[in-house]
Amino acid sequence: MASFLNLFNGFSYKEKSILISLLAVSGLYGGYFLDMIQDPVDASLAAMLRSMVGIVIALVVVHVVFHIVISLDDVDEAADERDRAVARRASVVGFNVLFLAVLLVTGRIIILGAWAESEAPLDAPGGLPGLFEIANLLLAGLVLSDVAYYAAQLYFYRRGLRD
Amino acid sequence: MGRTKSSGRIRNHMRRLRFETGEMTQAELAELIGVTRQTVVAIEGDKYAPSLEVAFRIATVFDVPLDSVFEYDPEG
């Protein structure tokens, strides 16, 4: 594990910490969605709730373990104005992704809903989205916005904030 | 009124000033101006333009006017 993190020796503690969050969120939620797409055997809200509890616990464990590992080499300095500027700028990126995701999910519900209500001779493709699908689409939006937030932070730390 | 170009860039002479001030380290300067060492590295590398407050603190540490530390390059 330590040798893997040695790959990121040029990174500060904060950059490593963000990278851990990025990989943990992408990996754990990515696995969940991949499983959901490839093998949607138990497509129920109860199963989703169980998965979410498992993912949250796994996220906490991964964060604690990897932060202990990076603390062996680096010191977490208090955030300064640059850290706050990077977080602010990355928040805008994350917000835009979340906004787009909510817009798309809302659009899907309204358009398919209107189609189903109309007297169109054809059924709406895929039918009306159920609660399980809506919950997963919104969750995917949240995860994507989180991933965009972490990725944008890393980008701004590496590329710099000049304007 | 003439238009101003927005592609300019702020450059700095912090590395030289640190060298002239008893080869002050980036960590020492960071401590004096209240930011992290990574932020000093970013400012020196023209990857971050600090706030006015931090810019004035840097000038105060080196005991020089602000425009001796930072200069605006309109060509970028």
Side-chain angles (χ1 to χ4, degrees), chain A residues 12-15 77-83 85 156-163, chain B residues 9 30 34-39 42-43 45-54:
Chain A
S12 66
Y13 179 94
K14 283 199 175 60
E15 288 169 313
E77 294 181 86
D80 66 7
E81 61 171 44
R82 176 169 155 265
D83 299 313
F156 291 132
Y157 271 122
R158 302 313 291 176
R159 190 213 66 156
L161 279 178
R162 289 192 204 93
D163 43 359
Chain B
R9 200 161 164 176
V35 298
T36 62
R37 192 185 69 81
Q38 284 77 28
T39 295
I43 297 171
D46 290 331
K47 285 187 168 183
Y48 175 65
S51 66
L52 261 182
E53 191 181 338
V54 168

PDB file of all heavy atoms in Angstrom, chain A residues 12-15 77-83 85 156-163, chain B residues 9 30 34-39 42-43 45-54:
ATOM      1  N   SER A  12       1.174  16.738  -2.280  1.00  0.00           N
ATOM      2  CA  SER A  12       1.131  17.150  -0.880  1.00  0.00           C
ATOM      3  C   SER A  12       0.140  16.251  -0.135  1.00  0.00           C
ATOM      4  O   SER A  12      -0.576  15.454  -0.755  1.00  0.00           O
ATOM      5  CB  SER A  12       0.666  18.603  -0.784  1.00  0.00           C
ATOM      6  OG  SER A  12      -0.681  18.710  -1.208  1.00  0.00           O
ATOM      7  N   TYR A  13       0.086  16.403   1.194  1.00  0.00           N
ATOM      8  CA  TYR A  13      -0.849  15.613   1.992  1.00  0.00           C
ATOM      9  C   TYR A  13      -2.275  15.820   1.487  1.00  0.00           C
ATOM     10  O   TYR A  13      -3.036  14.865   1.332  1.00  0.00           O
ATOM     11  CB  TYR A  13      -0.747  16.030   3.465  1.00  0.00           C
ATOM     12  CG  TYR A  13      -1.689  15.286   4.384  1.00  0.00           C
ATOM     13  CD1 TYR A  13      -1.285  14.142   5.061  1.00  0.00           C
ATOM     14  CD2 TYR A  13      -3.009  15.717   4.561  1.00  0.00           C
ATOM     15  CE1 TYR A  13      -2.150  13.446   5.886  1.00  0.00           C
ATOM     16  CE2 TYR A  13      -3.886  15.025   5.378  1.00  0.00           C
ATOM     17  CZ  TYR A  13      -3.446  13.901   6.042  1.00  0.00           C
ATOM     18  OH  TYR A  13      -4.321  13.219   6.858  1.00  0.00           O
ATOM     19  N   LYS A  14      -2.613  17.087   1.230  1.00  0.00           N
ATOM     20  CA  LYS A  14      -3.992  17.388   0.798  1.00  0.00           C
ATOM     21  C   LYS A  14      -4.310  16.731  -0.546  1.00  0.00           C
ATOM     22  O   LYS A  14      -5.409  16.211  -0.736  1.00  0.00           O
ATOM     23  CB  LYS A  14      -4.190  18.899   0.691  1.00  0.00           C
ATOM     24  CG  LYS A  14      -4.353  19.549   2.028  1.00  0.00           C
ATOM     25  CD  LYS A  14      -4.989  20.903   1.947  1.00  0.00           C
ATOM     26  CE  LYS A  14      -5.223  21.432   3.349  1.00  0.00           C
ATOM     27  NZ  LYS A  14      -3.992  21.564   4.149  1.00  0.00           N
ATOM     28  N   GLU A  15      -3.347  16.774  -1.471  1.00  0.00           N
ATOM     29  CA  GLU A  15      -3.571  16.160  -2.786  1.00  0.00           C
ATOM     30  C   GLU A  15      -3.748  14.644  -2.646  1.00  0.00           C
ATOM     31  O   GLU A  15      -4.605  14.053  -3.296  1.00  0.00           O
ATOM     32  CB  GLU A  15      -2.413  16.492  -3.731  1.00  0.00           C
ATOM     33  CG  GLU A  15      -2.435  17.953  -4.172  1.00  0.00           C
ATOM     34  CD  GLU A  15      -1.160  18.366  -4.885  1.00  0.00           C
ATOM     35  OE1 GLU A  15      -0.058  18.051  -4.378  1.00  0.00           O
ATOM     36  OE2 GLU A  15      -1.253  18.994  -5.934  1.00  0.00           O
ATOM     37  N   GLU A  77      -1.244  20.217   7.020  1.00  0.00           N
ATOM     38  CA  GLU A  77      -1.187  21.615   7.459  1.00  0.00           C
ATOM     39  C   GLU A  77      -2.590  22.212   7.415  1.00  0.00           C
ATOM     40  O   GLU A  77      -3.430  21.787   6.633  1.00  0.00           O
ATOM     41  CB  GLU A  77      -0.257  22.407   6.542  1.00  0.00           C
ATOM     42  CG  GLU A  77       1.200  21.969   6.643  1.00  0.00           C
ATOM     43  CD  GLU A  77       2.105  22.785   5.729  1.00  0.00           C
ATOM     44  OE1 GLU A  77       2.554  23.844   6.157  1.00  0.00           O
ATOM     45  OE2 GLU A  77       2.326  22.350   4.591  1.00  0.00           O
ATOM     46  N   ALA A  78      -2.817  23.244   8.234  1.00  0.00           N
ATOM     47  CA  ALA A  78      -4.134  23.899   8.240  1.00  0.00           C
ATOM     48  C   ALA A  78      -4.392  24.520   6.871  1.00  0.00           C
ATOM     49  O   ALA A  78      -3.473  24.993   6.205  1.00  0.00           O
ATOM     50  CB  ALA A  78      -4.147  24.967   9.323  1.00  0.00           C
ATOM     51  N   ALA A  79      -5.645  24.503   6.455  1.00  0.00           N
ATOM     52  CA  ALA A  79      -5.996  25.045   5.142  1.00  0.00           C
ATOM     53  C   ALA A  79      -5.735  26.550   5.098  1.00  0.00           C
ATOM     54  O   ALA A  79      -5.990  27.259   6.077  1.00  0.00           O
ATOM     55  CB  ALA A  79      -7.465  24.765   4.855  1.00  0.00           C
ATOM     56  N   ASP A  80      -5.187  27.018   3.996  1.00  0.00           N
ATOM     57  CA  ASP A  80      -4.956  28.455   3.832  1.00  0.00           C
ATOM     58  C   ASP A  80      -5.812  28.985   2.684  1.00  0.00           C
ATOM     59  O   ASP A  80      -6.682  28.271   2.164  1.00  0.00           O
ATOM     60  CB  ASP A  80      -3.464  28.760   3.640  1.00  0.00           C
ATOM     61  CG  ASP A  80      -2.924  28.191   2.328  1.00  0.00           C
ATOM     62  OD1 ASP A  80      -3.713  27.691   1.510  1.00  0.00           O
ATOM     63  OD2 ASP A  80      -1.696  28.261   2.116  1.00  0.00           O
ATOM     64  N   GLU A  81      -5.555  30.223   2.260  1.00  0.00           N
ATOM     65  CA  GLU A  81      -6.423  30.850   1.258  1.00  0.00           C
ATOM     66  C   GLU A  81      -6.407  30.106  -0.090  1.00  0.00           C
ATOM     67  O   GLU A  81      -7.413  30.065  -0.784  1.00  0.00           O
ATOM     68  CB  GLU A  81      -6.040  32.323   1.049  1.00  0.00           C
ATOM     69  CG  GLU A  81      -4.614  32.525   0.532  1.00  0.00           C
ATOM     70  CD  GLU A  81      -4.361  33.971   0.128  1.00  0.00           C
ATOM     71  OE1 GLU A  81      -4.759  34.871   0.871  1.00  0.00           O
ATOM     72  OE2 GLU A  81      -3.757  34.175  -0.967  1.00  0.00           O
ATOM     73  N   ARG A  82      -5.260  29.516  -0.448  1.00  0.00           N
ATOM     74  CA  ARG A  82      -5.200  28.767  -1.711  1.00  0.00           C
ATOM     75  C   ARG A  82      -6.064  27.505  -1.634  1.00  0.00           C
ATOM     76  O   ARG A  82      -6.780  27.180  -2.589  1.00  0.00           O
ATOM     77  CB  ARG A  82      -3.745  28.410  -2.026  1.00  0.00           C
ATOM     78  CG  ARG A  82      -3.561  27.559  -3.265  1.00  0.00           C
ATOM     79  CD  ARG A  82      -2.095  27.494  -3.648  1.00  0.00           C
ATOM     80  NE  ARG A  82      -1.791  26.300  -4.399  1.00  0.00           N
ATOM     81  CZ  ARG A  82      -1.330  25.169  -3.861  1.00  0.00           C
ATOM     82  NH1 ARG A  82      -1.120  25.084  -2.559  1.00  0.00           N
ATOM     83  NH2 ARG A  82      -1.082  24.117  -4.604  1.00  0.00           N
ATOM     84  N   ASP A  83      -5.987  26.800  -0.504  1.00  0.00           N
ATOM     85  CA  ASP A  83      -6.815  25.601  -0.325  1.00  0.00           C
ATOM     86  C   ASP A  83      -8.298  25.966  -0.424  1.00  0.00           C
ATOM     87  O   ASP A  83      -9.086  25.243  -1.047  1.00  0.00           O
ATOM     88  CB  ASP A  83      -6.535  24.946   1.030  1.00  0.00           C
ATOM     89  CG  ASP A  83      -5.094  24.503   1.162  1.00  0.00           C
ATOM     90  OD1 ASP A  83      -4.587  23.866   0.228  1.00  0.00           O
ATOM     91  OD2 ASP A  83      -4.463  24.811   2.186  1.00  0.00           O
ATOM     92  N   ALA A  85      -9.558  28.566  -1.972  1.00  0.00           N
ATOM     93  CA  ALA A  85      -9.857  28.987  -3.352  1.00  0.00           C
ATOM     94  C   ALA A  85     -10.038  27.763  -4.254  1.00  0.00           C
ATOM     95  O   ALA A  85     -10.944  27.715  -5.086  1.00  0.00           O
ATOM     96  CB  ALA A  85      -8.740  29.885  -3.884  1.00  0.00           C
ATOM     97  N   PHE A 156      -6.874  21.658 -10.178  1.00  0.00           N
ATOM     98  CA  PHE A 156      -6.492  23.029  -9.811  1.00  0.00           C
ATOM     99  C   PHE A 156      -5.212  23.053  -8.965  1.00  0.00           C
ATOM    100  O   PHE A 156      -4.408  23.972  -9.081  1.00  0.00           O
ATOM    101  CB  PHE A 156      -7.628  23.745  -9.086  1.00  0.00           C
ATOM    102  CG  PHE A 156      -8.805  24.053  -9.968  1.00  0.00           C
ATOM    103  CD1 PHE A 156     -10.088  23.751  -9.574  1.00  0.00           C
ATOM    104  CD2 PHE A 156      -8.624  24.642 -11.225  1.00  0.00           C
ATOM    105  CE1 PHE A 156     -11.179  24.020 -10.396  1.00  0.00           C
ATOM    106  CE2 PHE A 156      -9.708  24.913 -12.052  1.00  0.00           C
ATOM    107  CZ  PHE A 156     -10.987  24.606 -11.640  1.00  0.00           C
ATOM    108  N   TYR A 157      -5.031  22.034  -8.128  1.00  0.00           N
ATOM    109  CA  TYR A 157      -3.779  21.970  -7.356  1.00  0.00           C
ATOM    110  C   TYR A 157      -2.587  21.758  -8.286  1.00  0.00           C
ATOM    111  O   TYR A 157      -1.538  22.350  -8.103  1.00  0.00           O
ATOM    112  CB  TYR A 157      -3.824  20.843  -6.319  1.00  0.00           C
ATOM    113  CG  TYR A 157      -4.399  21.263  -4.983  1.00  0.00           C
ATOM    114  CD1 TYR A 157      -5.511  20.630  -4.442  1.00  0.00           C
ATOM    115  CD2 TYR A 157      -3.822  22.299  -4.244  1.00  0.00           C
ATOM    116  CE1 TYR A 157      -6.041  21.008  -3.217  1.00  0.00           C
ATOM    117  CE2 TYR A 157      -4.341  22.680  -3.019  1.00  0.00           C
ATOM    118  CZ  TYR A 157      -5.449  22.033  -2.509  1.00  0.00           C
ATOM    119  OH  TYR A 157      -5.965  22.417  -1.305  1.00  0.00           O
ATOM    120  N   ARG A 158      -2.745  20.867  -9.298  1.00  0.00           N
ATOM    121  CA  ARG A 158      -1.619  20.561 -10.175  1.00  0.00           C
ATOM    122  C   ARG A 158      -1.387  21.654 -11.209  1.00  0.00           C
ATOM    123  O   ARG A 158      -0.266  22.057 -11.448  1.00  0.00           O
ATOM    124  CB  ARG A 158      -1.844  19.223 -10.923  1.00  0.00           C
ATOM    125  CG  ARG A 158      -2.067  18.011 -10.058  1.00  0.00           C
ATOM    126  CD  ARG A 158      -1.094  17.861  -8.925  1.00  0.00           C
ATOM    127  NE  ARG A 158       0.256  17.553  -9.338  1.00  0.00           N
ATOM    128  CZ  ARG A 158       1.292  17.448  -8.508  1.00  0.00           C
ATOM    129  NH1 ARG A 158       1.147  17.647  -7.223  1.00  0.00           N
ATOM    130  NH2 ARG A 158       2.483  17.166  -8.960  1.00  0.00           N
ATOM    131  N   ARG A 159      -2.453  22.139 -11.844  1.00  0.00           N
ATOM    132  CA  ARG A 159      -2.319  23.134 -12.904  1.00  0.00           C
ATOM    133  C   ARG A 159      -2.096  24.525 -12.335  1.00  0.00           C
ATOM    134  O   ARG A 159      -1.443  25.383 -12.922  1.00  0.00           O
ATOM    135  CB  ARG A 159      -3.564  23.125 -13.791  1.00  0.00           C
ATOM    136  CG  ARG A 159      -3.409  23.967 -15.051  1.00  0.00           C
ATOM    137  CD  ARG A 159      -4.707  24.600 -15.459  1.00  0.00           C
ATOM    138  NE  ARG A 159      -5.165  25.595 -14.490  1.00  0.00           N
ATOM    139  CZ  ARG A 159      -5.982  26.597 -14.777  1.00  0.00           C
ATOM    140  NH1 ARG A 159      -6.461  26.720 -15.978  1.00  0.00           N
ATOM    141  NH2 ARG A 159      -6.352  27.455 -13.846  1.00  0.00           N
ATOM    142  N   GLY A 160      -2.673  24.778 -11.153  1.00  0.00           N
ATOM    143  CA  GLY A 160      -2.560  26.082 -10.525  1.00  0.00           C
ATOM    144  C   GLY A 160      -3.799  26.926 -10.741  1.00  0.00           C
ATOM    145  O   GLY A 160      -4.603  26.655 -11.626  1.00  0.00           O
ATOM    146  N   LEU A 161      -3.923  27.953  -9.891  1.00  0.00           N
ATOM    147  CA  LEU A 161      -5.038  28.909  -9.992  1.00  0.00           C
ATOM    148  C   LEU A 161      -4.426  30.256 -10.317  1.00  0.00           C
ATOM    149  O   LEU A 161      -3.884  30.912  -9.436  1.00  0.00           O
ATOM    150  CB  LEU A 161      -5.776  29.008  -8.658  1.00  0.00           C
ATOM    151  CG  LEU A 161      -6.799  27.960  -8.285  1.00  0.00           C
ATOM    152  CD1 LEU A 161      -7.341  28.259  -6.905  1.00  0.00           C
ATOM    153  CD2 LEU A 161      -7.926  27.931  -9.282  1.00  0.00           C
ATOM    154  N   ARG A 162      -4.500  30.659 -11.551  1.00  0.00           N
ATOM    155  CA  ARG A 162      -3.835  31.907 -11.930  1.00  0.00           C
ATOM    156  C   ARG A 162      -4.801  33.081 -12.011  1.00  0.00           C
ATOM    157  O   ARG A 162      -4.402  34.209 -11.949  1.00  0.00           O
ATOM    158  CB  ARG A 162      -3.120  31.733 -13.261  1.00  0.00           C
ATOM    159  CG  ARG A 162      -1.901  30.834 -13.155  1.00  0.00           C
ATOM    160  CD  ARG A 162      -1.049  30.903 -14.391  1.00  0.00           C
ATOM    161  NE  ARG A 162      -0.271  29.699 -14.518  1.00  0.00           N
ATOM    162  CZ  ARG A 162      -0.669  28.648 -15.217  1.00  0.00           C
ATOM    163  NH1 ARG A 162      -1.821  28.672 -15.851  1.00  0.00           N
ATOM    164  NH2 ARG A 162       0.072  27.582 -15.290  1.00  0.00           N
ATOM    165  N   ASP A 163      -6.099  32.786 -12.242  1.00  0.00           N
ATOM    166  CA  ASP A 163      -7.032  33.901 -12.394  1.00  0.00           C
ATOM    167  C   ASP A 163      -8.074  33.900 -11.292  1.00  0.00           C
ATOM    168  O   ASP A 163      -8.159  32.983 -10.517  1.00  0.00           O
ATOM    169  CB  ASP A 163      -7.726  33.801 -13.760  1.00  0.00           C
ATOM    170  CG  ASP A 163      -8.138  32.375 -14.082  1.00  0.00           C
ATOM    171  OD1 ASP A 163      -7.863  31.481 -13.266  1.00  0.00           O
ATOM    172  OD2 ASP A 163      -8.729  32.173 -15.146  1.00  0.00           O
TER     173      ASP A 163
ATOM    174  N   ARG B   9      -0.522  38.447 -16.745  1.00  0.00           N
ATOM    175  CA  ARG B   9      -0.104  37.488 -15.715  1.00  0.00           C
ATOM    176  C   ARG B   9       0.724  38.210 -14.646  1.00  0.00           C
ATOM    177  O   ARG B   9       1.492  39.113 -14.977  1.00  0.00           O
ATOM    178  CB  ARG B   9       0.737  36.423 -16.395  1.00  0.00           C
ATOM    179  CG  ARG B   9       0.840  35.152 -15.619  1.00  0.00           C
ATOM    180  CD  ARG B   9       1.263  34.076 -16.568  1.00  0.00           C
ATOM    181  NE  ARG B   9       1.744  32.937 -15.816  1.00  0.00           N
ATOM    182  CZ  ARG B   9       2.112  31.813 -16.381  1.00  0.00           C
ATOM    183  NH1 ARG B   9       2.095  31.693 -17.683  1.00  0.00           N
ATOM    184  NH2 ARG B   9       2.539  30.813 -15.665  1.00  0.00           N
ATOM    185  N   ALA B  30       6.729  30.712   4.477  1.00  0.00           N
ATOM    186  CA  ALA B  30       5.335  30.295   4.661  1.00  0.00           C
ATOM    187  C   ALA B  30       4.883  30.547   6.088  1.00  0.00           C
ATOM    188  O   ALA B  30       3.793  31.071   6.333  1.00  0.00           O
ATOM    189  CB  ALA B  30       5.196  28.820   4.309  1.00  0.00           C
ATOM    190  N   GLY B  34       1.934  33.145   7.010  1.00  0.00           N
ATOM    191  CA  GLY B  34       0.718  32.452   7.414  1.00  0.00           C
ATOM    192  C   GLY B  34       0.036  31.639   6.329  1.00  0.00           C
ATOM    193  O   GLY B  34      -1.201  31.592   6.268  1.00  0.00           O
ATOM    194  N   VAL B  35       0.835  31.009   5.458  1.00  0.00           N
ATOM    195  CA  VAL B  35       0.258  30.086   4.465  1.00  0.00           C
ATOM    196  C   VAL B  35       1.055  28.782   4.521  1.00  0.00           C
ATOM    197  O   VAL B  35       2.045  28.689   5.249  1.00  0.00           O
ATOM    198  CB  VAL B  35       0.301  30.665   3.020  1.00  0.00           C
ATOM    199  CG1 VAL B  35      -0.517  31.947   2.916  1.00  0.00           C
ATOM    200  CG2 VAL B  35       1.734  30.895   2.559  1.00  0.00           C
ATOM    201  N   THR B  36       0.648  27.792   3.737  1.00  0.00           N
ATOM    202  CA  THR B  36       1.392  26.527   3.722  1.00  0.00           C
ATOM    203  C   THR B  36       2.596  26.656   2.779  1.00  0.00           C
ATOM    204  O   THR B  36       2.630  27.539   1.919  1.00  0.00           O
ATOM    205  CB  THR B  36       0.509  25.364   3.226  1.00  0.00           C
ATOM    206  OG1 THR B  36       0.102  25.648   1.888  1.00  0.00           O
ATOM    207  CG2 THR B  36      -0.710  25.186   4.093  1.00  0.00           C
ATOM    208  N   ARG B  37       3.577  25.738   2.957  1.00  0.00           N
ATOM    209  CA  ARG B  37       4.750  25.765   2.077  1.00  0.00           C
ATOM    210  C   ARG B  37       4.331  25.526   0.628  1.00  0.00           C
ATOM    211  O   ARG B  37       4.894  26.106  -0.291  1.00  0.00           O
ATOM    212  CB  ARG B  37       5.757  24.694   2.526  1.00  0.00           C
ATOM    213  CG  ARG B  37       7.118  24.835   1.875  1.00  0.00           C
ATOM    214  CD  ARG B  37       8.041  23.700   2.251  1.00  0.00           C
ATOM    215  NE  ARG B  37       7.624  22.437   1.666  1.00  0.00           N
ATOM    216  CZ  ARG B  37       7.883  22.062   0.410  1.00  0.00           C
ATOM    217  NH1 ARG B  37       8.559  22.856  -0.392  1.00  0.00           N
ATOM    218  NH2 ARG B  37       7.460  20.904  -0.050  1.00  0.00           N
ATOM    219  N   GLN B  38       3.309  24.669   0.431  1.00  0.00           N
ATOM    220  CA  GLN B  38       2.843  24.396  -0.934  1.00  0.00           C
ATOM    221  C   GLN B  38       2.326  25.671  -1.605  1.00  0.00           C
ATOM    222  O   GLN B  38       2.474  25.843  -2.809  1.00  0.00           O
ATOM    223  CB  GLN B  38       1.712  23.349  -0.933  1.00  0.00           C
ATOM    224  CG  GLN B  38       2.168  21.927  -0.721  1.00  0.00           C
ATOM    225  CD  GLN B  38       2.487  21.641   0.727  1.00  0.00           C
ATOM    226  OE1 GLN B  38       1.924  22.257   1.629  1.00  0.00           O
ATOM    227  NE2 GLN B  38       3.397  20.719   0.963  1.00  0.00           N
ATOM    228  N   THR B  39       1.734  26.557  -0.811  1.00  0.00           N
ATOM    229  CA  THR B  39       1.231  27.804  -1.388  1.00  0.00           C
ATOM    230  C   THR B  39       2.388  28.711  -1.794  1.00  0.00           C
ATOM    231  O   THR B  39       2.344  29.352  -2.849  1.00  0.00           O
ATOM    232  CB  THR B  39       0.274  28.495  -0.388  1.00  0.00           C
ATOM    233  OG1 THR B  39      -0.868  27.655  -0.219  1.00  0.00           O
ATOM    234  CG2 THR B  39      -0.173  29.855  -0.883  1.00  0.00           C
ATOM    235  N   ALA B  42       3.593  27.358  -4.980  1.00  0.00           N
ATOM    236  CA  ALA B  42       2.675  27.706  -6.068  1.00  0.00           C
ATOM    237  C   ALA B  42       2.823  29.169  -6.485  1.00  0.00           C
ATOM    238  O   ALA B  42       2.789  29.489  -7.676  1.00  0.00           O
ATOM    239  CB  ALA B  42       1.235  27.414  -5.640  1.00  0.00           C
ATOM    240  N   ILE B  43       2.998  30.050  -5.512  1.00  0.00           N
ATOM    241  CA  ILE B  43       3.155  31.484  -5.844  1.00  0.00           C
ATOM    242  C   ILE B  43       4.459  31.687  -6.625  1.00  0.00           C
ATOM    243  O   ILE B  43       4.481  32.353  -7.661  1.00  0.00           O
ATOM    244  CB  ILE B  43       3.150  32.366  -4.565  1.00  0.00           C
ATOM    245  CG1 ILE B  43       1.801  32.255  -3.829  1.00  0.00           C
ATOM    246  CG2 ILE B  43       3.413  33.829  -4.927  1.00  0.00           C
ATOM    247  CD1 ILE B  43       1.802  32.918  -2.446  1.00  0.00           C
ATOM    248  N   GLY B  45       6.017  29.610  -8.419  1.00  0.00           N
ATOM    249  CA  GLY B  45       5.925  28.994  -9.742  1.00  0.00           C
ATOM    250  C   GLY B  45       4.880  29.643 -10.630  1.00  0.00           C
ATOM    251  O   GLY B  45       4.510  29.073 -11.651  1.00  0.00           O
ATOM    252  N   ASP B  46       4.382  30.802 -10.208  1.00  0.00           N
ATOM    253  CA  ASP B  46       3.332  31.528 -10.959  1.00  0.00           C
ATOM    254  C   ASP B  46       2.095  30.670 -11.179  1.00  0.00           C
ATOM    255  O   ASP B  46       1.397  30.799 -12.188  1.00  0.00           O
ATOM    256  CB  ASP B  46       3.858  32.020 -12.319  1.00  0.00           C
ATOM    257  CG  ASP B  46       4.863  33.151 -12.165  1.00  0.00           C
ATOM    258  OD1 ASP B  46       4.748  33.899 -11.170  1.00  0.00           O
ATOM    259  OD2 ASP B  46       5.756  33.272 -13.015  1.00  0.00           O
ATOM    260  N   LYS B  47       1.823  29.771 -10.226  1.00  0.00           N
ATOM    261  CA  LYS B  47       0.631  28.929 -10.340  1.00  0.00           C
ATOM    262  C   LYS B  47      -0.501  29.427  -9.455  1.00  0.00           C
ATOM    263  O   LYS B  47      -1.584  28.856  -9.441  1.00  0.00           O
ATOM    264  CB  LYS B  47       0.963  27.482  -9.951  1.00  0.00           C
ATOM    265  CG  LYS B  47       1.740  26.735 -11.003  1.00  0.00           C
ATOM    266  CD  LYS B  47       1.870  25.282 -10.621  1.00  0.00           C
ATOM    267  CE  LYS B  47       2.375  24.445 -11.768  1.00  0.00           C
ATOM    268  NZ  LYS B  47       2.430  23.033 -11.432  1.00  0.00           N
ATOM    269  N   TYR B  48      -0.211  30.435  -8.660  1.00  0.00           N
ATOM    270  CA  TYR B  48      -1.253  30.993  -7.795  1.00  0.00           C
ATOM    271  C   TYR B  48      -0.948  32.462  -7.531  1.00  0.00           C
ATOM    272  O   TYR B  48       0.177  32.804  -7.164  1.00  0.00           O
ATOM    273  CB  TYR B  48      -1.329  30.221  -6.470  1.00  0.00           C
ATOM    274  CG  TYR B  48      -2.299  30.819  -5.487  1.00  0.00           C
ATOM    275  CD1 TYR B  48      -3.665  30.845  -5.768  1.00  0.00           C
ATOM    276  CD2 TYR B  48      -1.864  31.375  -4.286  1.00  0.00           C
ATOM    277  CE1 TYR B  48      -4.558  31.410  -4.884  1.00  0.00           C
ATOM    278  CE2 TYR B  48      -2.752  31.935  -3.392  1.00  0.00           C
ATOM    279  CZ  TYR B  48      -4.103  31.950  -3.695  1.00  0.00           C
ATOM    280  OH  TYR B  48      -4.992  32.519  -2.816  1.00  0.00           O
ATOM    281  N   ALA B  49      -1.951  33.302  -7.760  1.00  0.00           N
ATOM    282  CA  ALA B  49      -1.807  34.731  -7.453  1.00  0.00           C
ATOM    283  C   ALA B  49      -2.414  34.969  -6.074  1.00  0.00           C
ATOM    284  O   ALA B  49      -3.613  34.765  -5.894  1.00  0.00           O
ATOM    285  CB  ALA B  49      -2.535  35.566  -8.508  1.00  0.00           C
ATOM    286  N   PRO B  50      -1.595  35.363  -5.086  1.00  0.00           N
ATOM    287  CA  PRO B  50      -2.117  35.466  -3.720  1.00  0.00           C
ATOM    288  C   PRO B  50      -3.067  36.644  -3.553  1.00  0.00           C
ATOM    289  O   PRO B  50      -3.114  37.543  -4.399  1.00  0.00           O
ATOM    290  CB  PRO B  50      -0.848  35.666  -2.890  1.00  0.00           C
ATOM    291  CG  PRO B  50       0.100  36.316  -3.810  1.00  0.00           C
ATOM    292  CD  PRO B  50      -0.198  35.766  -5.169  1.00  0.00           C
ATOM    293  N   SER B  51      -3.769  36.637  -2.423  1.00  0.00           N
ATOM    294  CA  SER B  51      -4.641  37.770  -2.106  1.00  0.00           C
ATOM    295  C   SER B  51      -3.761  38.992  -1.829  1.00  0.00           C
ATOM    296  O   SER B  51      -2.555  38.867  -1.569  1.00  0.00           O
ATOM    297  CB  SER B  51      -5.477  37.447  -0.873  1.00  0.00           C
ATOM    298  OG  SER B  51      -4.624  37.319   0.257  1.00  0.00           O
ATOM    299  N   LEU B  52      -4.377  40.162  -1.861  1.00  0.00           N
ATOM    300  CA  LEU B  52      -3.626  41.400  -1.573  1.00  0.00           C
ATOM    301  C   LEU B  52      -2.994  41.336  -0.184  1.00  0.00           C
ATOM    302  O   LEU B  52      -1.858  41.772   0.006  1.00  0.00           O
ATOM    303  CB  LEU B  52      -4.583  42.595  -1.632  1.00  0.00           C
ATOM    304  CG  LEU B  52      -4.596  43.416  -2.912  1.00  0.00           C
ATOM    305  CD1 LEU B  52      -5.554  44.575  -2.761  1.00  0.00           C
ATOM    306  CD2 LEU B  52      -3.194  43.932  -3.248  1.00  0.00           C
ATOM    307  N   GLU B  53      -3.757  40.779   0.769  1.00  0.00           N
ATOM    308  CA  GLU B  53      -3.261  40.717   2.150  1.00  0.00           C
ATOM    309  C   GLU B  53      -1.972  39.905   2.233  1.00  0.00           C
ATOM    310  O   GLU B  53      -0.983  40.347   2.831  1.00  0.00           O
ATOM    311  CB  GLU B  53      -4.344  40.101   3.034  1.00  0.00           C
ATOM    312  CG  GLU B  53      -4.025  40.229   4.510  1.00  0.00           C
ATOM    313  CD  GLU B  53      -5.096  39.592   5.379  1.00  0.00           C
ATOM    314  OE1 GLU B  53      -6.238  39.434   4.913  1.00  0.00           O
ATOM    315  OE2 GLU B  53      -4.760  39.239   6.517  1.00  0.00           O
ATOM    316  N   VAL B  54      -1.982  38.727   1.603  1.00  0.00           N
ATOM    317  CA  VAL B  54      -0.770  37.884   1.630  1.00  0.00           C
ATOM    318  C   VAL B  54       0.357  38.559   0.845  1.00  0.00           C
ATOM    319  O   VAL B  54       1.523  38.520   1.260  1.00  0.00           O
ATOM    320  CB  VAL B  54      -1.081  36.469   1.069  1.00  0.00           C
ATOM    321  CG1 VAL B  54       0.201  35.684   0.810  1.00  0.00           C
ATOM    322  CG2 VAL B  54      -1.953  35.704   2.050  1.00  0.00           C
TER     323      VAL B  54
END
